[in-house]
Amino acid sequence: MGLLSDPVRRRALARLVLRLNAPLWALPVAWLERTMRSVGLEVYTQSFSRKLPFPDETHERYMVSGTNVYGILRAPRAASTESLVLTVPCGSDSTNSQAVGLLLALAAHFRGQIYWAKDIIFLVTEHDLLGTEAWLEAYHDVNVTGMQSSPLQGRAGAIQAAVALELSSDVVTSLDVAVEGLNGQLPNLDLLNLFQTFCQKGGLLCTLQGKLQPQDWTSLDGPLQGLQTLLLMVLRQASGRPHGSHGLFLRYRVEALTLRGINSFRQYKYDLVAVGKALEGMFRKLNHLLERLHQSFFLYLLPALSRFVSIGLYMPAAGFLLLVLGLKALELWMQLHEAEVGVEEPGGAPGPSVPLPPSQGVGLASLVAPLLISQAMGLALYVLPVLGQHVATQHFPVAEAEAVVLTLLAIYAAGLALPHNTHRVVSTQAPDRGWMALKLVALIYLALQLGCIALTNFSLGFLLATTMVPAAALAKPHGPRTLYAALLVLTSPAATLLGSLFLWRELQEAPLSLAEGWQLFLAALAQGVLEHHTYGALLFPLLSLGLYPCWLLFWNVLFWK
Amino acid sequence: MAAAMPLALLVLLLLGRRGWCLAEPPRDSLREELVITPLPSGDVAATFQFRTRWDSELQREGGLSVLLKADRLFHTSYHSQAVHIRPVCRNARCTSISWELRQTLSVVFDAFITGQGKKDWSLFRMFSRTLTEPCPLASESRVYVDITNYNQDNETLEVNPPPTTTYQDVILGTRKIYAIYDLLDTAMINNSRNLNIQLKWKRPPENEAPPVPFLHAQRYVSGYGLQKGELSTLLYNTHPYRAFPVLLLDTVPWYLRLYVHTLTITSKGKENKPSYIHYQPAQDRLQPHLLEMLIQLPANSVTKVSIQFERALLKWTEYTPDPNHGFYVSPSVLSALVPSVVAAKPVDWEESPLFNSLFPVSDGSNYFVRLYTEPLLVNLPTPDFSMPYNVICLTCTVVAVCYGSFYNLLTRTFHIEEPRTGGLAKRLANLIRRARGVPPL
């Protein structure tokens, strides 16, 4: 009991805080402008604002407005046709101030050199990824996510590559690199190789997914650690989140990486000079580019920094899984035809006067209803939580973010109760053939969806295929119904999300308890919906509009009467 | 014939050798001039001009050309060279013509690269040389230093050595004051004295944004992806109360297929209809798009001209060896008569300094400016050039393995061959075998 348990008082307090909208920490824009100008850059600012669909509990923001500051180093005697970007995303708690210092030092050093052939843009964004998205949208003069941003006054041509920097302290023990971007897009492997070359040259300790590079590949330890790193990358790519501001650059065909400085309990620490040297080397190499990075792979999986798995090796795995669905669909088709032929034959023998049962017509009509209903449930799952959050907060004592998440879970669980209701609508003629036809359609639907997903985001497609394909192939109304029901529930998209969260933390050697896992799951649901609205991440619409209706069809098949 | 003359002169100039002088060159044939303009950001713009009138070639020695040293000039952040050749009348009735050659070199020195960030400069720091002697062939050899923005009573800066004379004029619509150093004046330079012009700031200027000119423009490509985009040009008119028209000329290559129905011009949020449009559509692989418009720019506004385009897929032999670099779009050309702040009098070109003729003024109330926007780099959809090789390998393998086997299966026939009784050689061999006791063939 207290101030916040009364919904009326809670709403009044929330409205007061929102109206005040006083940021706890703001970017020192005037100081940055002055400093960048004294270093010799052309400085511009850009303001942006955005009202999120519901308050973000993780980053504690709802109505976001901020200013980005960027300075352009013009290359001497060049025509400003190409540029490189060094960006430092600053969050609402000044966790990245060391990186701003390194950025200014690098800018001062770069300004005195005569060998630059491309312009360099030094970008400091506010509200980390939201500011980066605002800047990118204004630079390319598009409006993809509904951000209101002021137009940019200074441009530097086509951006060839970008590096994002995140430092938490002024000494680092290792540099971690993040490559996975929005919707599982990856930069060209050449950029990662560039980073790895400079790690080796500078003697820096570089990690991937927070794990060190395995030294010996001959015994079992090396491949096992490689497998852990690979699984971590698969899970991160499948989530479709931009893990760092580099992830937002990839949509605009700008190859980008995020470098994070980690300060752990190791004894040997590198100061910022070492990090600066690595960055300077990377930028000098990128300066030499004659063409955009395109020579190396765009689709790969990384078991270690110096090893990769190319698409030719991993795609057949997904292909074989989808083949299972195809073969099962073929089997059902043959069974349907046999049943039809079997029905026709005894009817034909006595004479042509016996009317054949219009089996095909009933089959098709009985298919439409479950399809429409499950698709409508998917649509409700996609649209209702954000639309109905205000209604939910009026009737229940919850915050908006919690309302959204709870509505999501409620609609998801309500879908489980459907089969008991649809059968009142559907006629029960030829019950056996009905479920076979429905399962055939559902298998083809699932195969098509998973195939399309695997082509754009292989990790997501493979993860969903490994969980959903066995359950989908096995689902049928006869046999041990509770076992099949349990299997189907355990492999539904939401359960896959929950399981992968536990697996992810397990691989990072920070295992979760059940309660923590549940909290993380709820936060992940809220983040998924938010990222769809703010950056255009596709996981939430894919799961709600595509895979959840498909899974509901299998649930219908399982409970066919 | 008339065109061959200046071309020959140009070739002669380029191939010229030292010491090829006439016996008695007229003294008023060569004028050389250096104009130094400090910019507010600390950079220094230096413009050299050499004007020669002659019947045959002259060579320069000494004078301002000692400052033209390549290693310093290529440490600049901008440089541009120009050559103008024109016929001039030798007398008032124009009975005979001589040729005038004017060579111009403009460089902008960067305060951060040459000066290590310090805003003071001197001739030695810029060119690593000082002026030692005037050119013996020059009739006029002067250095002009722009001291307009700065107080005359040496509060903010100090020019060393102090100038003896100053020159005032209206350049680019504003009144400017120049300090003159005449190299032919023996008080300035003689055998024992070099001229090293220095500028020191008494009070360093604050770091503020540099002033913007009345007309400037920017061009960029909007959109992302390899299918379509939008060419946008922003025209800024920063004059507080005067509007003026601008002629915009765009030449867009044929592989960016412009959609002219999407051409939009907006000023201050409202649509701005141009008074004149000329559009010549492109023909594939023959000629580019030509778009010319006369746009009225309202005072103190930003005008955005945008047109959408689609990127074409070229034939694969038309791609350059580096297709992922992108393809260039030439800059747009803006021509305008920008209103001046101060009315200028048209001056006699003979008497005025050479740099006056860089900005011709016919009517005192405005001056002509031609601006070029930045060039653009656009990526076209690029195929994978290794595919023909892959396809050839795959098809040849498939043909050899599969078709070959099928062909064999379908057309191979077996027929029984009767064993022949043998020819002469066989009978002879059998004879020998029987003799040896070995079984016969």
Side-chain angles (χ1 to χ4, degrees), chain B residues 13-281:
Chain B
L13 190 69
L14 291 171
L15 300 175
R17 277 180 270 280
R18 279 200 156 291
W20 183 15
C21 288
L22 275 186
E24 267 298 333
R27 274 304 276 196
D28 60 348
S29 297
L30 170 67
R31 284 176 69 178
E32 55 179 25
E33 202 174 83
L34 165 64
V35 183
I36 298 181
T37 312
L39 300 172
S41 56
D43 304 338
V44 184
T47 306
F48 292 85
Q49 279 212 55
F50 302 93
R51 195 194 73 185
T52 316
R53 281 184 187 148
W54 74 106
D55 300 309
S56 66
E57 201 204 328
L58 285 177
Q59 242 340 309
R60 293 180 303 281
E61 301 167 5
L64 290 177
S65 47
V66 297
L67 296 179
L68 297 175
K69 289 295 160 196
D71 58 340
R72 299 304 291 175
L73 286 178
F74 283 107
H75 281 214
T76 54
S77 58
Y78 170 81
H79 80 268
S80 116
Q81 291 166 269
V83 172
H84 301 263
I85 296 183
R86 63 172 187 157
V88 291
C89 302
R90 270 206 239 173
N91 48 29
R93 281 171 302 143
C94 223
T95 45
S96 58
I97 299 180
S98 64
W99 290 94
E100 177 186 280
L101 167 72
R102 183 194 297 259
Q103 297 161 281
T104 311
L105 169 69
S106 296
V107 293
V108 178
F109 285 95
D110 202 347
F112 287 89
I113 296 179
T114 41
Q116 285 95 39
K118 290 198 283 286
K119 300 249 174 16
D120 305 333
W121 56 265
S122 69
L123 274 186
F124 189 79
R125 182 172 285 162
M126 286 199 295
F127 301 104
S128 69
R129 297 278 185 287
T130 53
L131 291 166
T132 48
E133 55 163 5
C135 177
L137 305 173
S139 63
E140 218 178 270
S141 190
R142 292 210 183 116
V143 178
Y144 291 82
V145 180
D146 184 350
I147 52 174
T148 317
N149 295 333
Y150 318 120
N151 295 331
Q152 292 286 57
D153 46 358
N154 287 345
E155 259 189 25
T156 47
L157 64 84
E158 179 194 334
V159 183
N160 197 0
T164 46
T165 44
T166 58
Y167 169 74
Q168 283 200 26
D169 202 352
V170 179
I171 304 284
L172 282 181
T174 47
R175 184 166 294 285
K176 288 201 194 284
I177 307 171
Y178 292 88
I180 305 182
Y181 298 89
D182 196 344
L183 295 186
L184 293 174
D185 183 4
T186 44
M188 280 278 149
I189 292 184
N190 47 36
N191 285 340
S192 57
R193 228 182 114 159
N194 290 353
L195 179 61
N196 182 21
I197 303 174
Q198 289 169 318
L199 188 100
K200 282 200 190 17
W201 290 90
K202 291 273 183 61
R203 191 184 58 208
E206 311 86 49
N207 282 329
E208 62 200 17
V212 285
F214 283 149
L215 173 69
H216 63 283
Q218 217 192 357
R219 199 174 187 216
Y220 56 93
V221 175
S222 328
Y224 60 95
L226 287 177
Q227 196 208 344
K228 52 184 166 53
E230 191 173 343
L231 271 180
S232 308
T233 313
L234 291 176
L235 307 168
Y236 294 85
N237 175 6
T238 54
H239 202 284
Y241 50 85
R242 289 279 300 274
F244 53 87
V246 155
L247 189 68
L248 177 66
L249 174 71
D250 260 326
T251 311
V252 180
W254 65 268
Y255 40 78
L256 299 185
R257 302 189 198 277
L258 296 180
Y259 290 111
V260 186
H261 74 280
T262 56
L263 175 67
T264 43
I265 308 173
T266 41
S267 307
K268 290 186 179 171
K270 292 198 306 270
E271 205 201 317
N272 183 354
K273 232 168 119 47
S275 3
Y276 163 78
I277 299 188
H278 168 64
Y279 174 64
Q280 198 175 3

Side-chain angles (χ1 to χ4, degrees), chain B residues 292-325:
Chain B
E292 194 170 12
M293 292 181 283
L294 185 67
I295 307 173
Q296 189 79 11
L297 299 183
N300 208 13
S301 67
V302 180
T303 306
K304 182 171 178 187
V305 181
S306 61
I307 182 166
Q308 288 178 11
F309 64 86
E310 198 184 54
R311 302 170 204 233
L313 190 64
L314 304 177
K315 295 184 183 166
W316 79 296
T317 47
E318 287 172 355
Y319 284 101
T320 52
D322 57 347
N324 280 285
H325 175 69

Side-chain angles (χ1 to χ4, degrees), chain A residues 27-39:
Chain A
L27 201 67
V29 171
W31 177 81
L32 265 177
E33 263 188 279
R34 257 197 336 267
T35 320
M36 281 189 179
R37 205 166 272 137
S38 70
V39 159

Side-chain angles (χ1 to χ4, degrees), chain A residues 77 111 140 153 290 292, chain B residues 76 110 218 223 304 325 379:
Chain A
R77 298 181 310 283
R111 186 66 177 85
H140 294 91
Q153 272 138 13
L290 291 174
R292 279 181 191 262
Chain B
T76 54
D110 202 347
Q218 217 192 357
K304 182 171 178 187
H325 175 69
N379 274 87

Side-chain angles (χ1 to χ4, degrees), chain A residues 517-537:
Chain A
W518 182 251
Q519 289 300 318
L520 195 62
F521 175 63
L522 295 180
L525 285 177
Q527 282 297 305
V529 178
L530 261 182
E531 276 173 11
H532 168 63
H533 285 100
T534 47
Y535 311 130

